Amino acid sequence: MESMGTVDGPGIRFVAFLQGCPMRCLFCHNPDTWDVKGEHQFDFTPEQLMAEVRKYKNFIRRGGVTCTGGEPLLQAEFVEAFFHLCRAEGLHTALDTAGTIWTEAARRAAAAADLILFDVKTVDDSLHKSYTGVERTHNDRFLHYLQDIGKPVWARHVVVPGITDRDDRLEAVAQYLKQFSVIERVEVLGYHTMGEYKYESLGLPYPLHGVEPLSPERKANAKAIFQAALPNVVVQ
Ligand code: SF4
């Protein structure tokens, strides 16, 4: 849990990191969240987590609550129940997901959120599996579902030098996002190496060893590509 998050949705937020992820993104800086039964996890019922949230209610009244991970939709029933509790107390709810879980429960959990922070890893089908560990089918289907139910979306895209930091690939993502009118904002996230130490402590090889963080110039280039394709969307 993080009681004063400022990067996962609007305003100051209570952020809950849910354990478990079926993806294996090469750039992931949270490999400690992959294991559903991570050694530092805490078990909460939705009501118990809500009791934690209430301690910070005065601070997050204009922000809200975010569930992130890992992939929170691995625990979709929990997320749905928790969001209903938050909304009953007037708190804004955001779900950070890559949409890789395509189940009825996952769709209900997304429908229960006020805002989806949707991670688009790549729109290149031939790259998606080697880059993230899973095929792209569900991720794409999930974003179409969010469009169908009219759910506000902030799209997020990590730009990795040598992989997604190519103008043709950035342009392809931007063109893909154009079809979704529910997208209110695009967040361009530059690759960084701050998670590398976690791989070492978990005894895992770091897949992007030697790849430099994204430069400010290339980040500005990526933002310009998205802004040109999506002139009515906030790009940051
Ligand atoms: S979806 Fe998120 S938590 Fe899962 S591997 Fe990718 S970056 Fe890491």
Side-chain angles (χ1 to χ4, degrees):
M1 291 178 286
E2 193 180 303
S3 55
M4 293 285 192
T6 56
V7 294
D8 292 304
I12 296 174
R13 309 186 70 82
F14 181 99
V15 183
F17 294 82
L18 278 71
Q19 198 68 28
C21 185
M23 298 178 81
R24 291 292 180 268
C25 304
L26 296 183
F27 60 82
C28 182
H29 60 267
N30 286 327
D32 46 327
T33 67
W34 288 347
D35 184 358
V36 180
K37 299 207 174 297
E39 62 178 294
H40 299 302
Q41 75 172 20
F42 301 95
D43 294 329
F44 286 91
T45 64
E47 291 75 15
Q48 286 169 329
L49 188 56
M50 192 65 220
E52 288 297 316
V53 170
R54 283 194 196 101
K55 296 176 187 170
Y56 305 96
K57 234 176 146 182
N58 285 340
F59 299 103
I60 60 173
R61 201 170 291 281
R62 293 187 184 177
V65 173
T66 299
C67 281
T68 184
E71 172 51 73
L73 291 181
L74 268 186
Q75 304 183 60
E77 289 89 352
F78 176 93
V79 172
E80 183 190 6
F82 175 58
F83 280 171
H84 283 310
L85 292 174
C86 293
R87 292 178 74 167
E89 298 196 22
L91 291 172
H92 178 272
T93 54
L95 170 68
D96 180 15
T97 180
T100 204
I101 312 283
W102 183 249
T103 62
E104 181 59 35
R107 292 190 288 278
R108 278 205 316 271
D114 292 301
L115 173 70
I116 308 294
L117 309 173
F118 194 87
D119 306 310
V120 178
K121 313 292 184 181
T122 173
V123 296
D124 184 333
D125 288 335
S126 62
L127 176 65
H128 203 276
K129 179 83 192 278
S130 60
Y131 186 50
T132 72
V134 303
E135 300 288 353
R136 183 171 160 258
T137 319
H138 291 337
N139 312 72
D140 176 48
R141 190 181 282 172
F142 212 100
L143 190 47
H144 281 279
Y145 166 71
L146 298 175
Q147 174 72 29
D148 290 345
I149 64 170
K151 188 63 64 181
V153 171
W154 289 10
R156 296 172 137 183
H157 183 61
V158 177
V159 184
V160 183
I163 306 179
T164 47
D165 183 26
R166 267 179 29 186
D167 286 3
D168 59 333
R169 287 185 169 159
L170 293 165
E171 185 65 42
V173 176
Q175 292 302 323
Y176 169 71
L177 294 180
K178 260 175 97 165
Q179 64 186 301
F180 301 102
S181 61
V182 289
I183 293 180
E184 298 178 343
R185 184 180 291 254
V186 174
E187 294 183 341
V188 175
L189 307 174
Y191 166 73
H192 61 74
T193 55
M194 287 185 279
E196 189 164 359
Y197 76 95
K198 293 185 183 176
Y199 286 78
E200 283 165 22
S201 62
L202 291 166
L204 297 170
Y206 187 62
L208 297 185
H209 186 72
V211 175
E212 294 291 322
L214 189 73
S215 69
E217 294 75 23
R218 289 304 298 175
K219 184 170 181 180
N221 173 70
K223 286 167 70 172
I225 288 173
F226 281 105
Q227 195 67 82
L230 300 149
N232 300 321
V233 168
V234 177
V235 176
Q236 68 179 62

